[in-house]
Amino acid sequence: MKNTLIKIIILSLVVFFLVLVFAEKSGYLKTKEEKNKILTEEQIEIFERDIAQGKKVDINDYVVDNYKDYTNEVSNNFYRVSLKLEKGVDGIIKFIFKGASRAVVD
């Protein structure tokens, strides 16, 4: 049983390593960074062109905000529930440790 567990762990690590190597070689990890770099270079070129033409420039015209809000009613409700659960569990843990500290001090 011990040997089987060790073999499973080693096999899992090897598979995980191979997946990471494949992701690196295929360029999967660099795609987002490369898109941002190209977008930034394009915005710099436009900025420089506008300055050369003597146009009035505002930095907000050249900064592209790619933020997307993926929240919806379900995720907001789960978030509210998780905050209430966190508050409840936190209170229970504090109550338990206060009782334990009183027991140790007494």
Side-chain angles (χ1 to χ4, degrees):
M1 175 143 173
K2 208 173 196 181
N3 287 337
T4 306
L5 182 63
I6 292 172
K7 288 179 183 178
I8 290 173
I9 291 172
I10 290 173
L11 182 62
S12 299
L13 289 173
V14 168
V15 169
F16 183 68
F17 175 76
L18 291 175
V19 167
L20 288 176
V21 168
F22 177 74
E24 175 67 24
K25 294 292 182 187
S26 67
Y28 177 77
L29 299 175
K30 292 184 181 180
T31 303
K32 186 173 182 180
E33 293 174 8
E34 193 67 30
K35 286 180 184 176
N36 287 339
K37 178 183 169 196
I38 291 170
L39 182 62
T40 303
E41 289 173 353
E42 290 173 354
Q43 293 303 102
I44 290 172
E45 289 174 10
I46 294 170
F47 178 76
E48 290 173 348
R49 188 177 339 120
D50 288 348
I51 289 179
Q53 293 174 355
K55 293 182 180 178
K56 185 177 179 181
V57 293
D58 182 17
I59 191 67
N60 294 325
D61 296 336
Y62 304 97
V63 176
V64 178
D65 185 18
N66 291 332
Y67 175 74
K68 293 181 183 176
D69 185 15
Y70 291 105
T71 60
N72 57 34
E73 193 62 32
V74 174
S75 65
N76 290 337
N77 288 336
F78 272 110
Y79 181 67
R80 281 189 221 111
V81 168
S82 71
L83 289 177
K84 290 178 182 178
L85 284 173
E86 177 187 9
K87 189 174 180 180
V89 169
D90 189 44
I92 292 170
I93 291 173
K94 286 180 181 179
F95 176 75
I96 291 172
F97 279 103
K98 280 183 184 177
S101 68
R102 278 190 231 129
V104 170
V105 172
D106 292 340

